[in-house]
Amino acid sequence: MFKKWLNARFAAGVVIGAVFFTLFSWGTSLNVRAVPNETYESLKIYADVLSIVQDNYAEQVDAKSLISNAIKGMVKGLDPHSSYMTQDEYAEMQVDTKGVFGGIGIEIGMKDNVLTVIAPIEDTPAFKAGILAGDKIVKIGDKPTKEMGLGEAVTFMRGPKGTPVTIHIMREGFTEPRPFTMNRAVIKVKSVRSKQLEDGFAYIRINQFQENTTSDLQKALAELTPKEGRLKGLVLDLRNNPGGLLSEAVSVSNEFLDSGLIVSTKGRVPGQDMTFNADAARTQPDYPMIVLVNGGSASASEIVAGALQDHKRAAILGTQTFGKGSVQTIVPLSDGSAIRLTTSKYYTPSGRSIQAKGIEPDIVIGEVPKGHIKEKDLDGHLAEEPDTGKKSEKKETPRLKINEGVEKSEGASEDMQLKRALDYLKSWYIFKETTRKAG
């Protein structure tokens, strides 16, 4: 395998010198059990408070709104990825998975209870306006974001194409929040982009795992593969990919693996324990492969990177990934709303937990940009787990760690991580030919 060659090459001392979308499953079959007495007591207190507010508040309030706000607060307090969605927000979430929506094009999260930009999406109004990772959004229009949930913030920022929206940003170096006004656009997140690097070497970037990601990947691979022969090597770019559909992460991994576990989930309830395996339907031969990752690679991206790394199918190059290793189940409710509830965690084939830890690259090139946040920085995140899987039962393969400075995005004048990935792919053939002759 290519990764084995890399390890051997490193031992010999030969070194050649870039929306959070939630992975979700659908269903309403969550366990319902008897309610303990203390829960009834708490519900009585809740009913008393509801009655007091309705009878005594300075203005008349709608019971439905009060209950909705209570539900939002209850679910929001669990972790950064659990939330209550109104009917409109639930419909918006379903639109997200198709990769087309009206908005400004940023991924957001909560840090220190402040709405924070995780990353702007390339070629969107936010990207062009100069919004940066780590920016704190203190106001959207005339609405302060304090106590505002992620779903509510997304709703305020989205809207019809061409309509303006102003967000007020606080950034290191600013003495006060500054307004950034943008016209909303139709944000089309193209799932797969591809190009040929050099003769026989291909580059494919997956921006997000959507409904059609695997089919788009297959088309790109077919177009890049020489009519006679096969690819010499592939760079699969998952940098700044926030995740998406679990099913697509599994099927993308399946394109490169012919057997074995891809990912597993473990929850408190036995029915939430699942395994996803390669089904021998892979389409790609065993050519050398490098996967690019960084701190913006989350959830589905980490599943793919972890599977290919554990099976030694690819070498992982870049910086530590985001660390979103939890599973959210979407539970539709009777009134058309829904809750997104964290129900289990993801584990790589070797048993490693991704949560708050992420995937460590085999080759570390680049530095994490200042202000960039990860899962472990989000308020209320699930704690990191100690390694107890297969990986800890055997001697870990040493990793070569190189730090060549600040990582650069795809559109920069020189993408050092991509350049190094191509160097490694090309040198594999040089090394192979040299050892053949020596033999």
Side-chain angles (χ1 to χ4, degrees):
M1 291 292 188
F2 175 54
K3 187 175 171 187
K4 291 180 179 177
W5 166 80
L6 278 173
N7 290 330
R9 185 166 181 257
F10 300 157
V14 183
V15 179
I16 297 179
V19 145
F20 264 115
F21 281 87
T22 304
L23 299 187
F24 60 84
S25 54
W26 300 88
T28 56
S29 58
L30 298 186
N31 285 3
V32 178
R33 56 184 175 83
V35 180
N37 289 334
E38 57 266 29
T39 302
Y40 280 117
E41 290 297 323
S42 298
L43 288 173
K44 182 181 182 301
I45 297 297
Y46 170 78
D48 290 344
V49 173
L50 178 63
S51 178
I52 291 169
V53 172
Q54 284 184 293
D55 293 343
N56 298 280
Y57 187 65
E59 296 180 354
Q60 187 172 354
V61 288
D62 176 52
K64 185 176 180 180
S65 296
L66 290 173
I67 294 171
S68 177
N69 288 336
I71 296 172
K72 283 184 179 180
M74 174 177 62
V75 182
K76 178 184 175 183
L78 296 172
D79 67 81
H81 308 297
S82 293
S83 63
Y84 169 75
M85 295 177 283
T86 64
Q87 295 176 2
D88 290 341
E89 290 168 345
Y90 181 31
E92 193 77 27
M93 185 276 299
Q94 292 171 284
V95 169
D96 283 348
T97 66
K98 298 182 184 299
V100 181
F101 50 87
I104 60 175
I106 56 173
E107 302 157 31
I108 56 176
M110 299 297 293
K111 182 179 182 183
D112 300 328
N113 208 31
V114 178
L115 195 65
T116 305
V117 177
I118 293 174
I121 300 172
E122 291 183 19
D123 300 322
T124 63
F127 184 85
K128 295 173 183 176
I131 302 299
L132 303 177
D135 282 350
K136 300 185 182 304
I137 305 174
V138 299
K139 193 161 65 170
I140 302 172
D142 59 354
K143 299 181 182 297
T145 59
K146 188 177 181 180
E147 304 301 328
M148 185 182 289
L150 292 176
E152 190 177 7
V154 168
T155 299
F156 285 137
M157 286 188 282
R158 289 189 179 176
K161 174 185 177 183
T163 57
V165 61
T166 300
I167 62 175
H168 292 74
I169 295 292
M170 192 65 193
R171 181 185 299 168
E172 186 176 349
F174 287 6
T175 56
E176 60 182 20
R178 295 184 187 177
F180 287 74
T181 300
M182 295 153 275
N183 287 325
R184 297 179 177 95
V186 175
I187 309 299
K188 296 181 179 179
V189 183
K190 187 176 180 181
S191 181
V192 174
R193 296 179 182 177
S194 61
K195 64 183 179 182
Q196 187 161 317
L197 298 173
E198 292 184 10
D199 184 34
F201 294 98
Y203 168 89
I204 292 181
R205 179 182 179 88
I206 300 180
N207 295 298
Q208 174 186 313
F209 290 87
Q210 303 168 4
E211 293 177 353
N212 59 347
T213 297
T214 304
S215 59
D216 288 348
L217 172 67
Q218 291 171 339
K219 291 175 185 176
L221 286 167
E223 291 172 359
L224 292 168
T225 301
K227 293 181 179 179
E228 296 181 3
R230 67 178 194 176
L231 288 174
K232 293 180 180 178
L234 172 67
V235 178
L236 181 64
D237 192 349
L238 300 180
R239 292 174 298 179
N240 295 321
N241 180 325
L245 299 176
L246 168 61
S247 58
E248 291 298 312
V250 171
S251 60
V252 164
S253 302
N254 199 41
E255 292 295 309
F256 304 101
L257 300 172
D258 52 14
S259 63
L261 181 65
I262 291 175
V263 66
S264 62
T265 67
K266 296 178 184 177
R268 237 175 12 109
V269 180
Q272 294 160 353
D273 294 355
M274 296 182 289
T275 58
F276 300 85
N277 296 279
D279 61 6
R282 86 171 191 176
T283 63
Q284 297 304 301
D286 197 21
Y287 45 65
M289 184 175 173
I290 288 180
V291 178
L292 301 181
V293 298
N294 65 4
S297 305
S299 96
S301 302
E302 296 173 289
I303 287 173
V304 174
L308 297 180
Q309 184 182 53
D310 280 1
H311 284 287
K312 304 188 185 302
R313 175 61 186 89
I316 311 300
L317 184 152
T319 56
Q320 195 92 2
T321 61
F322 185 81
K324 182 187 177 297
S326 59
V327 184
Q328 282 67 49
T329 299
I330 306 300
V331 186
L333 302 177
S334 59
D335 64 349
S337 62
I339 60 170
R340 177 196 284 116
L341 187 67
T342 298
T343 54
S344 54
K345 297 177 184 178
Y346 288 114
Y347 297 84
T348 71
S350 67
R352 293 180 293 162
S353 170
I354 297 170
Q355 178 58 27
K357 187 181 304 182
I359 300 298
E360 181 182 355
D362 301 298
I363 311 167
V364 179
I365 297 179
E367 296 176 353
V368 178
K370 192 174 183 180
H372 191 84
I373 64 175
K374 294 187 177 182
E375 173 77 12
K376 63 183 180 181
D377 300 317
L378 298 179
D379 298 334
H381 71 275
L382 298 180
E384 175 183 328
E385 292 185 12
D387 279 330
T388 57
K390 299 175 185 176
K391 179 172 174 277
S392 61
E393 296 171 5
K394 60 184 179 181
K395 187 176 180 181
E396 182 178 356
T397 302
R399 289 190 173 98
L400 175 69
K401 295 186 178 182
I402 307 173
N403 193 322
E404 298 195 27
V406 178
E407 60 183 69
K408 299 182 180 181
S409 64
E410 185 186 1
S413 58
E414 185 178 25
D415 185 338
M416 188 59 67
Q417 292 168 331
L418 176 56
K419 182 177 184 298
R420 287 293 178 263
L422 179 59
D423 286 342
Y424 283 121
L425 291 176
K426 290 163 60 178
S427 63
W428 184 83
Y429 286 94
I430 297 173
F431 183 81
K432 184 178 179 181
E433 179 63 18
T434 302
T435 54
R436 187 190 66 81
K437 289 180 179 178

